[in-house]
Amino acid sequence: MAEAMQKHPRLILHNFLTLDQCKELEFIHKSNSTVGYRPNVFSTTLSHLIATNCPHLLMPFVPIRERLKEKVEEFFGCEYELFVEFTGLIRKACTR
C-alpha cells in the first residue's frame, strides 16, 4: 500500500462510469438532493433515498459501488479488507 501511495497518492479511474450511468446518477441527484452540511452544498445519500420513499433509486449505486471497492482494493493491495461505509453524491452550487 505504501508503495502505491508513493507513486501516486490518488487512483484516477478514466472511463469508470458510462455516459448513461453518469446521466442516471445526475438525474437521481438533481431530483433528490437536499441541502448539505455546508453552505451551497447539496447531497444525496442512500439513507436519504430510503427515508424519502425512493429505495428503487438505490439500484444504480449497487454495482458501481462494488466495482469501485474492487478497484480500490486492487490498487492498494488489500482485497477483502475494505468496507464501504458511505455512499453519496455531493455537489457545490455555483454562487455568483
Side-chain angles (χ1 to χ4, degrees), residues 8 10 26 30 32 38 50 55-56 61 82 87 96:
H8 200 290
R10 293 187 179 138
E26 181 181 30
K30 285 183 175 181
N32 291 282
R38 295 180 304 195
I50 293 168
H56 58 285
F61 289 92
L82 296 181
T87 299
R96 294 197 167 108

Side-chain angles (χ1 to χ4, degrees), residues 24-30 33-34 41-46 49 61 86-91:
E24 186 171 30
L25 293 177
E26 181 181 30
F27 169 77
I28 292 169
H29 185 59
K30 285 183 175 181
S33 64
T34 186
V41 173
F42 295 87
S43 65
T44 304
T45 63
L46 300 186
L49 293 175
F61 289 92
F86 172 79
T87 299
L89 302 172
I90 300 170
R91 73 180 159 93

Side-chain angles (χ1 to χ4, degrees), residues 46 65 69 82-88:
L46 300 186
R65 189 166 103 155
K69 182 180 84 70
L82 296 181
F83 175 77
V84 179
E85 187 174 328
F86 172 79
T87 299

